[in-house]
Amino acid sequence: AQSVTQLGSHVSVSEGALVLLRCNYSSSVPPYLFWYVQYPNQGLQLLLKYTSAATLVKGINGFEAEFKKSETSFHLTKPSAHMSDAAEYFCAVSHGGSQGNLIFGKGTKLSVKP
Amino acid sequence: NAGVTQTPKFRILKIGQSMTLQCAQDMNHNYMYWYRQDPGMGLKLIYYSVGAGITDKGEVPNGYNVSRSTTEDFPLRLELAAPSQTSVYFCASIGTRRDTQYFGPGTRLTVL
């Protein structure tokens, strides 16, 4: 069975600091991996996705993530946090060859301090 | 394209009432999904559909029903609302490559 674990339900960084949100997955087949962002009272917006091409994936708003098979990880990073990055971030896994169903992590709420 | 739309945005129900959450997409996607989101729990899949006339249960289907009579619409029905169904409900759809789900803005439902 597939699963996703996001380490840290809350992460707080200062503006301009590195953002690192952790995601580990388990999957018996090569996974598709996703990061979604949710701003308050809004739906989910895709940040980036890994679908077995390049292991370093660049997304919107300066975010990127690296797929590390040996560590079963797909951590999300951004070199310099901005106040507008404050939101909740969800990691998700899918084996896209089937119905495309997503398994979500519990989410990490990112706070950015001025 | 409007993408994925959901109505209503907010609703308060009394215990035992019924209602239908509407979801529509204009991207000609075959695959559609209903999730519920509870605080600190991420999103859980309720039902999904791989095309008109075909639906299947997800992780948490109890208390819900769906139908898919057209490609565009995927309504979610609550027959006897219970407080445990207080949640935010998201509809999503995916195209033929099945690699990116597009989400609607959500419906916030409270059952009192």
Side-chain angles (χ1 to χ4, degrees):
Chain A
Q2 295 173 305
S3 66
V4 173
T5 301
Q6 290 183 243
L7 296 175
S9 58
H10 288 89
V11 170
S12 181
V13 301
S14 298
E15 192 172 19
L18 171 72
V19 175
L20 171 60
L21 304 182
R22 299 177 187 274
C23 173
N24 289 89
Y25 70 92
S26 71
S27 177
S28 58
V29 297
Y32 288 2
L33 292 159
F34 305 82
W35 276 100
Y36 282 86
V37 61
Q38 185 180 32
Y39 298 102
N41 300 314
Q42 294 189 25
L44 276 72
Q45 179 182 2
L46 181 69
L47 267 181
L48 50 79
K49 63 184 177 185
Y50 166 77
T51 56
S52 75
T55 56
L56 182 62
V57 181
K58 294 189 183 298
I60 62 172
N61 302 337
F63 285 92
E64 62 182 36
E66 185 172 9
F67 172 68
K68 292 187 177 180
K69 184 178 179 180
S70 62
E71 298 178 6
T72 61
S73 69
F74 191 56
H75 301 331
L76 182 70
T77 60
K78 182 174 180 177
S80 177
H82 192 272
M83 297 297 291
S84 60
D85 294 326
E88 190 157 20
Y89 293 79
F90 293 93
C91 183
V93 64
S94 159
H95 50 93
S98 68
Q99 300 89 356
N101 295 356
L102 290 176
I103 306 297
F104 283 88
K106 293 185 178 181
T108 297
K109 186 166 290 187
L110 176 67
S111 300
V112 182
K113 298 175 292 187
Chain B
N1 288 349
V4 180
T5 58
Q6 292 183 240
T7 56
K9 290 187 177 180
F10 304 95
R11 184 72 185 269
I12 298 175
L13 283 182
K14 295 182 179 178
I15 295 172
Q17 287 185 320
S18 62
M19 78 163 293
T20 299
L21 282 66
Q22 301 291 344
C23 173
Q25 53 88 13
D26 60 359
M27 296 173 283
N28 201 33
H29 287 170
N30 282 328
Y31 294 76
M32 296 186 74
Y33 309 83
W34 274 106
Y35 295 91
R36 59 176 289 170
Q37 182 182 29
D38 300 301
M41 298 301 295
L43 280 76
K44 302 288 187 183
L45 182 66
I46 305 172
Y47 271 95
Y48 66 96
S49 170
V50 301
I54 306 171
T55 63
D56 208 345
K57 296 178 180 178
E59 185 180 358
V60 290
N62 291 344
Y64 306 95
N65 279 299
V66 293
S67 59
R68 184 93 181 273
S69 57
T70 67
T71 298
E72 293 77 20
D73 300 298
F74 189 40
L76 178 71
R77 179 87 177 158
L78 284 71
E79 291 294 351
L80 291 170
S84 61
Q85 293 177 305
T86 294
S87 189
V88 182
Y89 292 84
F90 288 101
C91 180
S93 71
I94 198 168
T96 53
R97 290 178 60 188
R98 298 196 292 273
D99 64 355
T100 301
Q101 289 196 13
Y102 296 90
F103 284 80
T107 294
R108 187 175 296 272
L109 176 67
T110 302
V111 182
L112 301 174

